[in-house]
Amino acid sequence: MKKIALLMLCFGFLSAHAQLRNNDVYEETEMNHSIVRDIIRIPDIGGYQTLKCDFHTHTVFSDGKVWPDVRVNEAWRGGLDAIAITDHIEYRPHKDIVKGDLNESFKIARKRGDEIGFIVIQGTEITRSKPLGHLNGLFISDANPMDVEDPLEAIDIAIKQGGFVMWNHPGWPDDKSTLYPVHEQLIKEKKIHGIEVFNYMEYYPVAFDWCKETNLAFMGNTDIHELISEDYGSHKLSRPLTLVFATEYSEKGIKEALFAGRSAAYFNGQLAGKAEHLTALFKASLVWKVKHADMGAYEVSNMSDITYRFTCNNKLYILPAGKAVGLVLPKEGKITILNCYTGMNEHLEIDLPL
Ligand SMILES: [Zn+2]
Ligand SMILES: [Zn+2]
């Protein structure tokens, strides 16, 4: 019966049925989007898996607009490998309607993650005005004891639970990214482990230098409150990501990599990270075919979803995502990759020959 209905639908004979619905319409038409996800092509590097993660998301349990399992579904559908749920401790405007303690949103999201084999990391956002600002405790086991007056005590509790502490959006809300003495002290005491260099739709270039100089993890996250599609559209790779270079696809693998500073931040076609990681990503993205060896002529296929732009001897070259281009390069010298940042005013440089 369903097949007949489907055939009739294909040939436009709708009038024979008063109603077609659910499986009559969707079965065998590949229209079930809940089982389809994007593939983000960013290569693995040097023995590590490159995992696409977002370590900063909100739900209705703080000031977000969605139920926690929706966060998991949309991240899975967008091609991510892991997210953290990081509702505010101190700011919960719906708490009279949405019941539950500070771990509830994570529990709901984790349950959904377990159902579909997707990693959900427990986190929370310690929320204060500047100078301290906002910090996420990630990989924590219980957010409830962190609800204390002194934010430095909350950080200590996160660390006692084995937590990774990320300094969030250092430029927000005054457009000034300032490394205050309290941050210098926390970094010195190894109580800040990573910094968001991209958050939502903002960049904080000075934070590239802080990560580089203090060997902290480069992080790029959405801090999403609405549906992802409302803020970023439905295009692949439109949301900021933290790329984690992990030894294994597990929460343990992600945590180990972040504490070791093996990460890079991606947003809007730009990458920020350590030179060794960005060099490896660039090289692993490309397949070179020699056309004329003596002329230095190549056909280069960019197998990744990241378009690279570089200069060599003041000439601009573009390697579009998923395309092959013909180009001629000198045998020696350097290329400067414009969309890869290793510091505030520093682009990635790679020696020729590649
Ligand atoms: Zn925040
Ligand atoms: Zn936030």
Side-chain angles (χ1 to χ4, degrees):
M1 186 59 206
K2 276 178 196 158
K3 288 237 162 71
I4 293 166
L6 197 66
L7 265 176
M8 292 178 79
L9 187 66
C10 292
F11 289 101
F13 301 134
L14 284 173
S15 58
H17 284 260
Q19 184 179 331
L20 292 171
R21 63 192 182 103
N22 301 343
N23 285 350
D24 289 341
V25 177
Y26 285 116
E27 198 182 53
E28 299 174 49
T29 62
E30 296 177 43
M31 288 286 286
N32 185 354
H33 291 296
S34 70
I35 58 164
V36 178
R37 68 187 302 234
D38 286 332
I39 298 168
I40 298 177
R41 292 171 300 177
I42 300 178
D44 294 341
I45 58 168
Y48 299 116
Q49 293 183 45
T50 299
L51 303 179
K52 284 82 70 180
C53 308
D54 185 349
F55 296 104
H56 195 163
T57 73
H58 294 277
T59 79
V60 288
F61 283 82
S62 61
D63 55 345
K65 298 285 176 65
V66 309
W67 196 252
D69 60 356
V70 174
R71 283 280 167 257
V72 178
N73 291 343
E74 63 184 6
W76 179 84
R77 206 171 296 132
L80 271 64
D81 296 300
I83 58 165
I85 300 289
T86 57
D87 280 312
H88 297 281
I89 293 174
E90 303 83 353
Y91 184 52
R92 303 193 157 234
H94 316 303
K95 67 170 182 267
D96 292 337
I97 309 163
V98 183
K99 305 290 182 195
D101 68 10
L102 300 177
N103 300 319
E104 197 62 39
S105 54
F106 161 72
K107 283 185 197 160
I108 296 167
R110 163 66 68 86
K111 184 169 172 286
R112 179 62 186 150
D114 288 347
E115 281 165 14
I116 61 173
F118 183 86
I119 296 172
V120 179
I121 292 154
Q122 184 165 10
T124 194
E125 184 162 10
I126 302 163
T127 312
R128 296 295 193 278
S129 307
K130 282 195 166 184
L132 181 66
H134 298 186
L135 298 108
N136 278 359
L138 302 167
F139 307 99
I140 57 167
S141 52
D142 183 1
N144 292 320
M146 293 166 63
D147 189 4
V148 289
E149 203 168 310
D150 179 0
L152 299 180
E153 192 189 333
I155 291 170
D156 284 341
I157 293 166
I159 288 170
K160 266 197 201 113
Q161 293 181 11
F164 175 99
V165 177
M166 174 177 82
W167 179 14
N168 302 347
H169 45 67
W172 185 86
D174 55 5
D175 291 335
K176 289 189 194 111
S177 300
T178 312
L179 187 71
Y180 289 103
V182 65
H183 304 117
E184 286 178 322
Q185 187 62 28
L186 286 168
I187 291 169
K188 212 167 106 192
E189 292 171 3
K190 300 204 180 308
K191 292 180 179 177
I192 287 178
H193 309 108
I195 305 177
E196 271 184 341
V197 299
F198 303 142
N199 168 286
Y200 184 48
M201 295 193 190
E202 298 185 344
Y203 293 17
Y204 315 109
V206 67
F208 302 166
D209 283 347
W210 302 339
C211 288
K212 183 185 165 187
E213 285 156 15
T214 55
N215 198 29
L216 299 180
F218 284 76
M219 319 214 29
N221 304 304
T222 59
D223 198 357
I224 188 73
H225 289 70
E226 312 287 329
L227 281 171
I228 278 286
S229 57
E230 250 170 72
D231 279 351
Y232 297 102
S234 54
H235 300 295
K236 190 163 72 159
L237 266 186
S238 54
R239 61 191 282 172
L241 292 173
T242 303
L243 306 178
V244 177
F245 309 115
T247 51
E248 59 177 44
Y249 177 65
S250 68
E251 182 172 331
K252 193 171 140 240
I254 293 171
K255 186 174 170 180
E256 186 277 326
L258 285 181
F259 272 113
R262 289 198 313 273
S263 70
Y266 172 88
F267 182 46
N268 195 31
Q270 319 288 320
L271 284 161
K274 295 194 177 106
E276 58 176 302
H277 299 138
L278 300 190
T279 302
L281 273 180
F282 178 76
K283 290 190 172 177
S285 298
L286 306 177
V287 176
W288 295 78
K289 223 188 262 175
V290 180
K291 288 294 189 183
H292 293 285
D294 9 318
M295 286 167 60
Y298 303 92
E299 183 180 288
V300 189
S301 303
N302 179 358
M303 309 305 283
S304 79
D305 284 329
I306 299 172
T307 291
Y308 293 98
R309 291 176 296 114
F310 68 90
T311 56
C312 183
N313 295 339
N314 294 320
K315 195 176 163 209
L316 176 67
Y317 298 79
I318 298 176
L319 302 172
K323 294 198 187 296
V325 295
L327 50 80
V328 177
L329 280 177
K331 292 206 169 55
E332 287 175 1
K334 267 183 199 315
I335 65 168
T336 303
I337 301 158
L338 302 178
N339 61 309
C340 291
Y341 290 89
T342 52
M344 179 162 72
N345 297 310
E346 195 179 87
H347 292 107
L348 177 67
E349 291 199 325
I350 303 180
D351 289 329
L352 291 174
L354 291 164

